[in-house]
Amino acid sequence: MSSQTHQPAAGPTCPSCAEPLEQGDRFCGACGHDLSAVSAPPGADRPTLAIGMPAGPPVNWPTVTGSGGPGGPPPVPPHGGPPGTDPYGGQPPPPPRPDVPPSPGHGGPGYTQPPGGAPHGAAYPGSPTGPGAGQPYPPAGPYPPHSGHQPGAGPGGGDFELPPPPPSTPPVTPQVAADPRAVDPPPVPTPPYTKVCVACRAGHVDTDGYCENCGHAQPRERDHIERELGSVAAVSDRGLRHHRNEDAFTVSSTALPDGSPAVIAIVCDGVSSATRPDEASQAAAVAANELLLETLPRGTHPQQAMREAILAAGAAVNALAGRDPQGDTLEDPPHHQLNAPACTIVGAISAGGLLIIGWIGDSRVYWVPDDRSAQAVRLTEDDSWAAQMVAAGLMSEAEAYADDRAHAITGWLGADAYDLDPHTAAFQPDHPGVVVVCTDGLWNYAEAADDMARAIPADATDRPLHSAQVLVGHALDGGGHDNVTVAVLPFAVVRQGAGSAYDAYHQA
C-alpha cells in the first residue's frame, strides 16, 4: 500500500486547525475559532511593553505609509502580518461586529493616519472619509474598563478586545470570602460587676458574693468597717471564726442648745442564737443614734435622752419580728416571737463635761485615764448569768466567768425580751481620758479594766481611730472567736466656771 501525504486544501482555511472554510464563515465549523480575530502568524509577535517604558509606538512598529490604493505601497495588514499579505486568504474581510467598538488609534500625540484611509476602511479619526478626517489620532491613554486592552496593543497587535459591559449594568465586584482566622473575634461583654476577688486577684465577684474564677466567698461590706468623726472613731470586724459580722455601731456628733458639742457612740451586738442578728444590731444602732440627734439639740438631758434612745432601739428590733427576711408580713404573731431577732446595746455620750452611758446586755464601757498611773474603771454591769451569780454572792467573779453559762445574757432588745428597763448612768470625770465602748468580742481578751488600759495605746486621746484599730487587732491576735467592735471616745475636762448641759437642765 502506497503512502499518502496530506495535501493542503485549496481556498481559505481555519488559522487554528487548518480546516477548509466556506465563504462568509465567521466561525470555524471544526474548532469554533472566531474568524474575525485572526491570530498573528508565527514569529510576528511583539514583546510586551516593559515596565517603566513610556506609552508610544513600540520599537520597530511598521510605519503606515499607504492604504494599498493604486500606485501606493501595499497596506499594512490590520493584524500585524507582513506588508502585502492578505490575512483573509483572498476573501473579503468579515464585517465589523456591532458589539465591538472600533479600537482607538495608538502611537502618541501627533500620530496621524496618512491619506488613503484606515485598514479595513474603518472611519478612524484620521481617515479622509470618516468624521474628523485629517485629525490626529487620540493619544494613548487609559482604556475603557473591562476592554481587555493592553498598552501597545491595537490594530496589528494581535490582541483580542473584550466588549465593554452594557452601560446599564454596574461593574460586578468579586466577593472574596474572609479568612475566619483573620477576622477579629467579637468583643467580650463587660460583666456588670467590678469587684475583683480578694483571694485569686483575677476573677470577678458575682452578685452572690463568690468569685467566678476560684469560688472564694468574698468579704461582705460589714466584715470590716472603720469610721472616724472628729474626736470619736470606731472599728468593727467579723473576727476569725464567724461567717458574718453581727455587730453594728454608729458614731455622730451634734450641738446642745448652748452650742457646746455632744459626741455619741453606740455599739450593738446581735444575739447569734436568734434569727437575723445582724439586722437587729443594725436597726438598734441606727434608731438609737437618730433619736439622740433629735432630742439632744432640743435640750433633753443627756441621761434622759439615752434612756429614750434605748427604748427606741428596742422598738426598732421588735418591728423586725413582724417581717420575714424578704420583708413580707407574717400573719401569726405568736409564731414570729418564738425566735425573734435580738441584740444587746451600749452607748456613751460626752456632752457639757458629763459622761452619760446606757446599756442592756453584756456589751461594756471602760474608762481609761490619760494618766495611766490613775485607776481605769469598768462603768457597766453585765446583764448575764455570771453577773447575777456574783451580785447575789453565790459565786466569785472568777468562778462565775469560768462557768459555761457565764455569757448567757439576761437582758436584750427583741420582741421576746422581758420588760425593757434600760440601765443609765452619769459621770463627771475630773481628769481627761478615753471612753472605750465595746462588745464582748473585745473584752473577752481584756476583761479587767487594767487589761484594757494596757491594751489601748498611750496616745488614744489624740489618735482614736488608731487606738480602735489596735484594740481590734488585740482581739484578733487573741483568737478572734467572736465579732469585734470597739468605739474610742476621748473625753476632755471642762474648765472651771464653764456651763454644762447638766447645769442647764437643772436651771431650766
Side-chain angles (χ1 to χ4, degrees):
M1 182 176 181
S2 61
S3 62
Q4 296 182 353
T5 60
H6 178 72
Q7 300 294 329
T13 59
C14 175
S16 174
C17 63
E19 186 72 15
L21 302 173
E22 298 290 340
Q23 185 176 0
D25 285 349
R26 300 182 62 182
F27 298 92
C28 175
C31 67
H33 183 74
D34 186 358
L35 300 177
S36 62
V38 182
S39 303
D45 269 342
R46 49 190 171 80
T48 305
L49 185 66
I51 296 176
M53 181 178 292
V59 180
N60 298 328
W61 183 277
T63 305
V64 180
T65 57
S67 61
V76 178
H79 294 279
T85 61
D86 186 359
Y88 301 110
Q91 300 298 325
R97 294 173 59 184
D99 58 342
V100 181
S103 175
H106 294 272
Y111 186 82
T112 60
Q113 172 72 17
H120 296 251
Y124 290 117
S127 172
T129 59
Q135 299 299 321
Y137 276 98
Y143 295 93
H146 309 289
S147 67
H149 216 101
Q150 300 295 330
D159 292 337
F160 176 71
E161 297 182 6
L162 296 176
S168 60
T169 304
V172 179
T173 303
Q175 301 293 329
V176 180
D179 186 354
R181 295 170 296 179
V183 178
D184 293 334
V188 179
T190 304
Y193 25 82
T194 57
K195 292 184 178 179
V196 178
C197 176
V198 299
C200 67
R201 297 293 181 183
H204 289 279
V205 179
D206 205 345
T207 54
D208 60 357
Y210 290 85
C211 175
E212 288 187 331
N213 182 47
C214 67
H216 189 86
Q218 302 302 299
R220 297 176 176 87
E221 182 181 359
R222 289 177 60 179
D223 283 358
H224 186 87
I225 306 175
E226 297 184 0
R227 296 285 187 273
E228 185 175 28
L229 179 64
S231 60
V232 62
V235 176
S236 181
D237 192 90
R238 183 185 67 180
L240 304 179
R241 303 296 181 89
H242 283 239
H243 70 284
R244 64 182 174 184
N245 190 358
E246 298 170 356
D247 290 354
F249 71 85
T250 58
V251 291
S252 60
S253 63
T254 186
L256 300 177
D258 62 356
S260 60
V263 183
I264 306 166
I266 302 292
V267 171
C268 297
D269 184 359
V271 177
S272 298
S273 59
T275 60
R276 292 145 47 210
D278 54 332
E279 294 183 32
S281 62
Q282 183 69 24
V286 171
N289 183 70
E290 289 179 350
L291 192 134
L292 290 173
L293 293 178
E294 178 184 349
T295 57
L296 289 175
R298 293 204 309 251
T300 304
H301 190 275
Q303 189 169 353
Q304 177 64 27
M306 176 63 76
R307 178 180 176 83
E308 294 177 2
I310 294 176
L311 293 174
V317 177
N318 292 348
L320 296 176
R323 300 196 308 269
D324 67 4
Q326 287 73 36
D328 297 332
T329 301
L330 301 178
E331 298 180 357
D332 186 7
H335 173 74
H336 71 249
Q337 293 186 9
L338 294 178
N339 195 16
C343 69
T344 67
I345 186 171
V346 64
I349 304 172
S350 173
L354 289 179
L355 176 59
I356 309 297
I357 62 173
W359 75 97
I360 286 184
D362 61 349
S363 294
R364 294 180 175 180
V365 176
Y366 290 85
W367 166 254
V368 180
D370 289 346
D371 182 7
R372 298 305 166 85
S373 62
Q375 183 67 40
V377 181
R378 174 161 60 97
L379 304 179
T380 57
E381 291 292 339
D382 298 340
D383 287 324
S384 66
W385 179 89
Q388 286 187 347
M389 293 299 103
V390 174
L394 300 177
M395 301 176 70
S396 67
E397 187 171 355
E399 292 174 341
Y401 281 100
D403 194 282
D404 292 339
R405 298 166 289 180
H407 291 279
I409 57 176
T410 58
W412 62 89
L413 302 180
D416 54 355
Y418 302 106
D419 293 338
L420 195 58
D421 186 15
H423 308 289
T424 61
F427 301 91
Q428 191 171 11
D430 57 0
H431 49 276
V434 292
V435 180
V436 178
V437 185
C438 64
T439 62
D440 60 344
L442 172 60
W443 66 254
N444 278 332
Y445 302 97
E447 184 174 347
D450 292 340
D451 295 336
M452 189 66 68
R454 285 190 293 267
I456 193 170
D459 59 351
T461 300
D462 299 324
R463 304 175 65 190
L465 177 59
H466 171 71
S467 299
Q469 294 168 340
V470 170
L471 290 175
V472 170
H474 176 78
L476 297 179
D477 292 341
H481 288 76
D482 200 355
N483 307 142
V484 187
T485 302
V486 56
V488 177
L489 192 162
F491 183 89
V493 176
V494 178
R495 296 189 310 269
Q496 293 294 329
S500 66
Y502 181 81
D503 295 336
Y505 173 79
H506 285 278
Q507 291 175 3

